[in-house]
Amino acid sequence: MKHYNIPVFISHFGCPNDCVFCNQKKINGRETDVTLEDLKEIIDSYLKTLPKKSKKEVAFFGGTFTGISLKLQEDYLRIVKPYIDRGEIQGIRLSTRPDYINEEIMALLKKYGVTTIELGVQSLDPLVLKRTARYYPENVVYEACELIKKSNINLGIQVMIGLPEATLEKDIETAKKVIELQPDIARIYPTLVIKETELAKMYLEKKYNPLTLDEAIERTKKIYSLFLMNGINVIRVGLQPSDDLREEGNVLGGPFHPAFRELVEGEIYYDFLKNILLKDEILDIQVNEKDMSRVIGINKVNRERFGKKFIIKIDKELSFGNIRVNGIEYSRLDVLRGEL
């Protein structure tokens, strides 16, 4: 069944944290910017257009949901609950920080039908956490994950690569620790320098160098492959190319690309095919139609790289994810394994 999010973007103006990459504004006297009336209007508007025979979740994004007051959390959740009871919506998903999860909060979220909680873990390296002004110890992440899983709520983990003090080795070590936590889903975000952040100040003062696009792809494809090979569903790679990010002057530096995941996929297939070409003289390829674009790469870059040695055809009998090269069939895991 097709899945749809009904996105509700709530800022948390009262957030006491000042993570270096965040540009969330502080507004005195206001907790957030979405009223209860706004929330109901957003849900009703989406329900008018989304297919009735589909899975729908209200998704609270944009802020630290469990960082707002318990009363306001409950007010929001109480608005959504009748839609769940009527079967119009199948659940609620939200994003928050690991240090904003406890028994009391989990009881509230469970009561109102929350189905997925995504934790903005970002890194599990102590020095990286300190340099990004996320001062909780590593064990806080493990405890939050345990509480979520114990409540039978789907666990999501968000990681960021290329943060201050992060290296390839540190980012991969974080990925390995995330795998141990066994989340249901994950997101991978390359660090961008957004205006009006502490990171922007560090960047302008030459105290932080963001990853180049090539460096970010190289680092991401390894972590992405690790997650997929360990059964973690990676639901996003790279930030959503919103109007804010596209607006000139908002992104000061870093590896922003509107099709970042496609770039990563293309490089994974390039590496896989390049290794085959080391022992064979040609790449005679058959793929499922749905795999064609990621094997060829964005702007057909892989076809251009391999030139006349690259021959590709659609084979409708091949399963999605499988690829046949020079008469040998490989699984999706075979392709990913090459990155590790």
Side-chain angles (χ1 to χ4, degrees):
M1 185 181 290
K2 185 78 171 174
H3 175 271
Y4 294 94
N5 282 336
I6 298 175
V8 182
F9 293 94
I10 57 165
S11 296
H12 179 191
F13 297 137
C15 182
N17 303 289
D18 288 297
C19 302
V20 297
F21 48 80
C22 180
N23 71 338
Q24 194 156 266
K25 295 183 176 67
K26 309 285 185 183
I27 298 182
N28 292 331
R30 289 182 62 190
E31 271 200 278
T32 185
D33 52 356
V34 176
T35 67
L36 301 182
E37 292 75 19
D38 291 338
L39 174 57
K40 193 173 187 310
E41 287 178 11
I42 291 168
I43 295 171
D44 289 339
S45 175
Y46 271 88
L47 288 179
K48 288 177 183 177
T49 59
L50 294 177
K52 294 197 179 297
K53 292 185 177 180
S54 61
K55 180 180 179 181
K56 295 173 278 288
E57 290 181 310
V58 170
F60 290 103
F61 292 135
T64 304
F65 184 86
T66 59
I68 60 180
S69 65
L70 278 171
K71 181 185 182 303
L72 186 52
Q73 288 181 56
E74 188 163 15
D75 287 344
Y76 280 138
L77 296 170
R78 192 180 286 120
I79 293 291
V80 183
K81 189 63 163 62
Y83 294 94
I84 296 175
D85 294 340
R86 293 193 298 267
E88 297 173 290
I89 288 169
Q90 283 64 55
I92 301 168
R93 64 193 304 138
L94 56 90
S95 57
T96 191
R97 287 169 55 107
D99 51 343
Y100 282 19
I101 291 289
N102 57 40
E103 294 275 7
E104 184 181 13
I105 288 170
M106 289 307 305
L108 178 70
L109 302 182
K110 184 73 174 176
K111 173 183 174 182
Y112 283 98
V114 170
T115 41
T116 302
I117 298 175
E118 295 188 40
L119 296 180
V121 170
Q122 321 313 4
S123 176
L124 282 165
D125 181 86
L127 181 57
V128 175
L129 288 174
K130 185 175 181 180
R131 286 284 283 136
T132 53
R134 296 173 77 83
Y135 297 113
Y136 52 79
E138 187 179 322
N139 69 290
V140 167
V141 177
Y142 291 94
E143 291 167 3
C145 290
E146 185 177 348
L147 281 174
I148 293 167
K149 293 171 82 71
K150 188 171 71 174
S151 300
N152 292 318
I153 292 175
N154 290 328
L155 171 64
I157 289 184
Q158 303 169 5
V159 296
M160 294 179 68
I161 65 164
L163 286 165
E165 300 296 338
T167 61
L168 170 61
E169 292 74 22
K170 287 183 178 183
D171 282 344
I172 289 178
E173 187 60 28
T174 285
K176 290 178 179 178
K177 290 179 179 179
V178 167
I179 290 167
E180 292 175 4
L181 294 168
Q182 297 184 310
D184 301 285
I185 58 175
R187 299 175 190 256
I188 306 170
Y189 295 130
T191 302
L192 302 181
V193 181
I194 309 297
K195 72 175 184 179
E196 298 175 4
T197 63
E198 182 64 24
L199 194 62
K201 182 181 177 183
M202 293 164 63
Y203 171 69
L204 294 172
E205 292 176 354
K206 311 293 185 186
K207 295 178 181 177
Y208 170 72
N209 291 318
L211 298 176
T212 66
L213 184 59
D214 287 342
E215 288 170 339
I217 292 169
E218 182 67 25
R219 195 171 296 193
T220 301
K221 67 185 182 182
K222 297 182 182 303
I223 294 168
Y224 179 58
S225 298
L226 268 173
F227 284 171
L228 293 179
M229 288 189 66
N230 284 276
I232 300 171
N233 179 19
V234 182
I235 60 174
R236 174 155 289 281
V237 182
L239 284 170
Q240 180 79 24
S242 63
D243 291 341
D244 285 346
L245 286 181
R246 291 175 182 271
E247 188 176 325
E248 188 172 349
N250 277 354
V251 178
L252 304 183
F256 175 67
H257 192 284
F260 186 74
R261 184 177 193 141
E262 288 76 9
L263 288 175
V264 170
E265 283 280 4
E267 288 304 303
I268 287 171
Y269 277 95
Y270 173 70
D271 291 345
F272 170 74
L273 294 170
K274 182 175 63 175
N275 286 333
I276 292 177
L277 199 58
L278 291 175
K279 56 186 177 61
D280 295 348
E281 295 182 355
I282 197 167
L283 295 171
D284 186 3
I285 305 165
Q286 289 90 45
V287 294
N288 182 289
E289 185 175 9
K290 294 179 181 178
D291 289 310
M292 179 67 80
S293 61
R294 60 185 185 180
V295 175
I296 291 177
I298 288 182
N299 298 323
K300 302 179 180 179
V301 63
N302 288 343
R303 187 194 293 275
E304 293 178 7
R305 285 162 158 173
F306 292 118
K308 294 181 179 179
K309 295 180 179 180
F310 185 93
I311 303 166
I312 189 166
K313 296 177 183 176
I314 292 172
D315 185 339
K316 295 181 180 179
E317 301 300 316
L318 273 175
S319 300
F320 176 57
N322 285 12
I323 181 172
R324 187 181 297 115
V325 185
N326 301 338
I328 301 174
E329 189 168 332
Y330 301 90
S331 70
R332 173 73 163 156
L333 291 182
D334 291 327
V335 174
L336 296 170
R337 196 173 289 115
E339 291 302 326
L340 309 180

